[in-house]
């Protein structure tokens, strides 16, 4: 084994899939690209996500305590990157990039019509926000597009490189 550069460690452990996080504040909707997230619990479903305090979405998520995690298929790769390459401070990303905002049922942030799944979320824990920009979200409603039976997802590998899901394999599991 040889030493590995610490600044590249995230490329080895990047959680994926890449998702889009939507927020709404003062009747202004926004969307950001996010790949730093993790499942934390099954029931209720809890997701931890990092939203940098430098991101425009941070203020909306902090103030409203609500968001949607929209999961795009790999055919949306160019739009996903376009969302990540501009700021909601000065761009209406939905209009600019061509995303369809749909009303959510339990949160003020919009669903994204082009995504195969949308998770309505509420912030349930802010204990790590100040130190690590880590929000704990509870999924309060979930939606999917049934016609997309096996969508391929994007996984960020760092510095503009992405992987697309490969072949699924099923192995015996003793987990409930």
């Amino acid at each position: 084994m040889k030493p590995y550069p610490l600044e590249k460690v995230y490329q080895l452990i990047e959680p994926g899939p890449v998702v889009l996080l939507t927020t709404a504040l003062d009747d202004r909707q926004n969307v950001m690209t996010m790949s730093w997230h993790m499942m934390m619990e099954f029931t209720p479903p809890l997701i931890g996500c990092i939203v940098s305090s430098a991101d425009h979405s941070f203020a909306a998520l902090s103030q409203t305590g609500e968001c949607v995690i929209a999961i795009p298929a790999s055919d949306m790769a160019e739009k996903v990157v376009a969302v990540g390459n501009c700021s909601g401070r000065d761009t209406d990303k939905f209009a600019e990039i061509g995303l369809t905002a749909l009303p959510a049922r339990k949160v003020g942030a919009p669903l994204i019509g082009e995504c195969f799944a949308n998770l309505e979320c509420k912030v349930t824990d802010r204990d790590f926000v100040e130190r690590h920009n880590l929000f704990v979200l509870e999924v309060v409603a979930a939606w999917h597009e049934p016609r997309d039976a096996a969508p391929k997802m994007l996984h960020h590998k760092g510095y503009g490189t992405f992987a697309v899901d490969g072949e699924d394999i099923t192995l015996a599991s003793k987990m409930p």
Side-chain angles (χ1 to χ4, degrees):
M1 293 236 151
K2 294 181 180 180
Y4 193 77
L6 295 178
E7 67 274 7
K8 292 186 175 187
V9 167
Y10 87 94
Q11 293 177 276
L12 299 173
I13 198 115
E14 189 73 42
V18 176
V19 299
L20 298 172
L21 182 133
T22 71
T23 55
L25 180 62
D26 299 330
D27 296 325
R28 183 151 184 221
Q29 299 174 333
N30 190 40
V31 57
M32 67 172 275
T33 301
M34 180 176 71
S35 62
W36 290 6
H37 53 80
M38 63 185 163
M39 283 302 305
M40 297 180 72
E41 187 57 73
F42 296 107
T43 306
L46 297 179
I47 299 171
C49 71
I50 304 291
V51 179
S52 171
S53 58
D55 289 333
H56 182 64
S57 297
F58 183 88
L61 183 57
S62 294
Q63 289 179 46
T64 66
E66 299 179 343
C67 66
V68 168
I69 294 177
I71 307 170
S74 61
D75 63 355
M76 288 184 62
E78 289 185 12
K79 288 186 178 193
V80 168
V81 171
V83 166
N85 283 337
C86 61
S87 172
R89 284 183 186 86
D90 51 22
T91 304
D92 176 349
K93 295 184 190 183
F94 283 91
E96 182 79 20
I97 296 165
L99 297 173
T100 306
L102 301 174
R105 299 253 173 94
K106 296 189 176 187
V107 301
L111 309 178
I112 298 178
E114 292 77 11
C115 290
F116 73 85
N118 284 268
L119 311 174
E120 297 182 41
C121 301
K122 293 190 178 190
V123 176
T124 62
D125 189 329
R126 298 172 187 263
D127 288 351
F128 295 99
V129 172
E130 189 174 321
R131 279 187 292 156
H132 303 291
N133 296 327
L134 172 66
F135 292 86
V136 178
L137 310 172
E138 179 178 344
V139 179
V140 296
W143 309 95
H144 80 286
E145 179 53 62
R147 71 173 175 250
D148 293 334
K152 298 292 185 188
M153 293 179 280
L154 293 169
H155 298 270
H156 188 236
K157 295 180 75 176
Y159 303 105
T161 301
F162 297 84
V164 176
D165 284 341
E167 176 185 355
D168 289 345
I169 63 171
T170 303
L171 305 172
S173 173
K174 294 182 181 185
M175 297 296 293

